[in-house]
Amino acid sequence: MALQQPSQGPDQTETFSSLVRALLRKNGWTAATLAKESNLSKTTVSRILRNSNDKGNTYRPTTNIVMAVCLTFKLDM
């Protein structure tokens, strides 16, 4: 079964970064805790939270990074 992308209209501008920040707040975690629990580097977590890569562009996580975050927070992809 293929995973479907959630529909997103003009009034839905939720980013991966904002979702991760909300999960951190909900769980009372810091960026360092997320890095440790997910086995992602602190640099990667920083890029997620800033929503920016090292070239200043919008951060686009790989499938593996999304999976790591989902598994860490026990979410369905």
Side-chain angles (χ1 to χ4, degrees):
M1 173 182 258
L3 296 175
Q4 293 182 344
Q5 292 289 333
S7 61
Q8 199 168 40
D11 59 335
Q12 297 173 314
T13 58
E14 197 84 48
T15 63
F16 182 67
S17 296
S18 63
L19 291 170
V20 172
R21 285 192 302 271
L23 287 165
L24 289 175
R25 280 191 304 274
K26 178 182 174 188
N27 289 283
W29 286 13
T30 64
T33 304
L34 176 57
K36 180 180 176 186
E37 295 295 321
S38 64
N39 290 320
L40 294 173
S41 71
K42 289 180 183 179
T43 301
T44 297
V45 171
S46 175
R47 288 177 181 155
I48 292 169
L49 298 178
R50 285 184 291 118
N51 195 27
S52 177
N53 65 18
D54 57 346
K55 294 182 181 10
N57 298 324
T58 300
Y59 183 73
R60 300 188 69 174
T62 64
T63 302
N64 288 341
I65 290 171
V66 173
M67 287 178 19
V69 170
C70 288
L71 289 171
T72 301
F73 288 113
K74 298 177 177 41
L75 303 173
D76 290 331
M77 274 193 29

